[in-house]
């Protein structure tokens, strides 16, 4: 009874959302242990208060020169296309966008026209990152319009599409969407897989379709306590991705967002996992570990320090070797 009340209360701030496809990936019905369910089921642990956790730790609001545009780096800008997703990941660092008090929105023609003008004027911006929410929640027509407009801006070299559609709703990657993607030469696809169970046979098929359409796929993974914070789970995930020609790109520490404390492993544990992975995996399969500093500090990458004195280093088998 109590649990029910809690779920209702919690859902009233950050509503539950999961697609049938995503839920079908779960191997059990234990929402406290299953690595799929844990990512989408509201949990009592989210209510633990922690003053260091905020709704917008990256302070993105301070870095928005226009509505729906986040620019924290000189040469890259993020376009917030929509606040809708196919699933609501409990640990999402932008969950403030889909908090219940917000209505659903999609970027409007006027908003996008202003952004396009800004990108034209600020020609040092080379990469436009379509994010949200999930940009694949846009209708085909809107998606085509955005991509062709960005394609026509000469100073934009790269259009990145950040989306969880491959695991959350692979059926959305229709031939029409693949056509839209292959109509542009600028597209890179940033997928988001956290566990090997998220790669179904349907997902594999869509990855092959994207490859065939000439779209490079890089993957982001969020390190999540109890879900994928083990070298074994991550090794299996990264090997599976590389076999599908998806490059593991970033492994992120979970962000200090409201209700996220129970997902955070700590940076020390993360570096231990990275060290252990690097002993086994090729550079192709190894992502870079990064944390996104609060207050708009940006992403910084960390790697284990293998120095053991001025001229001594620890080798891949854990032995100390001198290097001149
Ligand atoms: C992550 C992010 C980027 C992209 O950073 P990369 O390190 O190039 O992947 C750009 N802008 C914002 C606001 C971001 O959060
Ligand atoms: S799909 Fe991405 S934007 Fe949407 S809730 Fe999950 S992590 Fe957040």
């Amino acid at each position: 009874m109590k649990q029910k009340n809690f779920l209702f209360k919690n859902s009233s701030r950050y509503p539950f959302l999961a697609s049938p496809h995503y839920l079908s990936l779960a191997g059990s019905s234990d929402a406290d242990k299953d690595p799929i369910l844990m990512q989408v089921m509201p949990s009592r642990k989210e209510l633990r208060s922690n003053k260091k956790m905020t709704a917008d730790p990256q302070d993105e609001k301070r870095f928005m020169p226009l509505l729906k545009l986040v620019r924290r780096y000189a040469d890259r800008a993020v376009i917030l296309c929509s606040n809708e997703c196919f699933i609501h990941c409990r640990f999402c660092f932008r969950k403030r966008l889909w908090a219940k008090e917000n209505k659903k929105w999609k970027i409007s023609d006027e908003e996008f026209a202003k952004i396009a003008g800004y990108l034209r004027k600020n020609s040092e911006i080379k990469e436009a990152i379509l994010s949200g929410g999930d940009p694949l929640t846009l209708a085909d027509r809107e998606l085509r319009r955005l991509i062709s407009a960005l394609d026509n801006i000469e100073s934009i070299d790269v259009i990145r599409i950040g989306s969880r559609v491959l695991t959350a709703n692979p059926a959305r990657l229709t031939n029409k969407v693949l056509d839209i993607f292959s109509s542009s030469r600028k597209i890179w696809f940033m997928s988001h897989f956290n566990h090997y169970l998220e790669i179904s046979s349907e997902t594999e098929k869509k990855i092959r379709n994207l490859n065939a359409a000439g779209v490079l796929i890089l993957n982001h993974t969020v390190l999540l306590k109890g879900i994928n914070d083990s070298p074994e789970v991550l090794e299996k995930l990264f090997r599976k991705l590389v076999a599908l020609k998806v490059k593991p790109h970033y492994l992120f520490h979970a962000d200090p967002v409201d209700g996220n404390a129970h997902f955070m492993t700590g940076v020390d544990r993360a570096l231990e996992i990275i060290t252990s992975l690097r002993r086994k995996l090729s550079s192709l399969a190894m992502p870079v570990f990064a944390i996104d500093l609060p207050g708009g500090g940006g992403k910084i990458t960390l790697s284990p320090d293998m120095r053991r004195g001025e001229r001594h280093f620890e080798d891949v088998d854990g032995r100390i070797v001198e290097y001149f």
Side-chain angles (χ1 to χ4, degrees):
M1 194 59 203
K2 227 176 170 186
Q3 175 77 358
K4 253 190 190 152
N5 280 340
F6 159 71
L7 282 175
F8 176 75
K9 189 171 159 210
N10 186 50
S11 291
S12 68
R13 178 86 212 270
Y14 297 113
F16 163 81
L17 179 70
S19 60
H21 181 266
Y22 195 73
L23 289 175
S24 78
L25 304 170
S28 78
S29 55
D30 186 345
D32 290 321
K33 293 212 180 76
D34 186 273
I36 298 296
L37 296 181
M38 281 173 79
Q39 296 188 54
V40 290
M41 290 299 288
S43 149
R44 167 189 299 277
K45 293 176 189 146
E46 292 171 23
L47 285 189
R48 286 182 197 153
S49 71
N50 183 327
K51 286 198 191 78
K52 293 206 176 109
M53 306 283 168
T54 61
D56 179 14
Q58 264 81 286
D59 212 359
E60 289 192 314
K61 287 205 189 84
R62 265 207 305 136
F63 297 88
M64 298 187 66
L66 291 174
L67 272 176
K68 319 254 153 93
L69 187 75
V70 184
R71 186 186 186 192
R72 209 165 47 183
Y73 308 106
D75 68 336
R76 281 152 282 169
V78 177
I79 302 171
L80 302 176
C81 299
S82 150
N83 69 341
E84 285 187 66
C85 297
F86 302 106
I87 59 176
H88 286 165
C89 310
R90 306 313 301 174
F91 49 86
C92 175
F93 84 104
R94 286 212 191 103
K95 65 183 169 194
R96 66 179 189 282
L97 293 188
W98 46 261
K100 195 154 200 170
E101 63 262 24
N102 300 330
K103 280 205 209 100
K104 291 178 180 173
W105 53 259
K106 299 223 181 336
I107 193 166
S108 71
D109 290 352
E110 294 83 6
E111 287 163 344
F112 182 69
K114 282 192 187 139
I115 289 174
Y118 179 90
L119 296 176
R120 273 209 184 80
K121 209 161 91 203
N122 296 273
S123 57
E124 68 280 14
I125 299 176
K126 300 297 176 200
E127 296 188 17
I129 303 169
L130 301 186
S131 184
D134 197 313
L136 267 301
T137 58
L138 296 181
D140 291 353
R141 194 176 38 81
E142 299 170 293
L143 196 61
R144 185 185 292 282
R145 204 152 34 84
L146 250 66
I147 288 175
S148 85
L150 293 169
D151 222 31
N152 286 327
I153 301 178
E154 210 156 313
S155 48
I156 295 290
D157 296 331
V158 168
I159 303 167
R160 286 201 219 179
I161 298 178
S163 170
R164 272 209 106 177
V165 72
L166 274 168
T167 184
N169 187 12
R172 174 71 189 97
L173 287 174
T174 56
N175 288 340
K176 216 163 172 188
V177 169
L178 292 164
D179 269 357
I180 297 174
F181 288 173
S182 55
S183 73
S184 164
R185 292 196 179 168
K186 301 184 181 178
I187 296 196
W188 294 57
F189 195 92
M190 323 299 283
S191 62
H192 172 177
F193 293 106
N194 297 327
H195 197 284
Y196 56 83
L197 290 173
E198 292 179 343
I199 307 173
S200 64
S201 55
E202 198 181 347
T203 293
E204 286 191 22
K205 208 174 98 203
K206 298 297 178 176
I207 291 175
R208 292 190 206 289
N209 291 158
L210 283 169
N211 284 338
V215 177
L216 283 173
I217 313 172
L218 302 183
N219 185 64
H220 291 175
T221 297
V222 182
L223 186 62
L224 298 164
K225 199 155 146 186
I227 293 173
N228 64 6
D229 60 334
S230 88
E232 292 72 28
V233 169
L234 290 177
E235 177 182 352
K236 214 164 151 182
L237 169 65
F238 298 149
R239 286 197 192 284
K240 208 163 169 180
L241 289 172
V242 166
L244 290 161
K245 289 215 270 181
V246 177
K247 168 78 183 100
H249 181 230
Y250 271 134
L251 175 67
F252 290 116
H253 192 253
D255 286 311
V257 187
D258 257 350
N260 250 24
H262 61 293
F263 287 124
M264 299 171 79
T265 59
V267 169
D268 288 339
R269 174 67 188 138
L271 288 173
E272 261 172 43
I273 292 172
I274 284 280
T275 308
S276 150
L277 283 172
R278 187 62 183 110
R279 292 198 164 126
K280 292 186 234 170
L281 288 177
S282 82
S283 59
L284 274 190
M286 263 319 275
V288 168
F289 176 63
I291 58 180
D292 210 337
L293 290 176
K299 294 182 185 69
I300 57 164
T301 60
L302 298 172
S303 49
D305 186 2
M306 304 314 274
R307 283 187 97 125
R308 301 289 178 266
E310 195 138 309
R311 274 181 292 138
H312 290 85
F313 297 84
E314 186 177 325
D315 77 4
V316 293
D317 301 314
R319 288 172 309 208
I320 306 298
V321 176
E322 191 176 7
Y323 183 83
F324 313 98

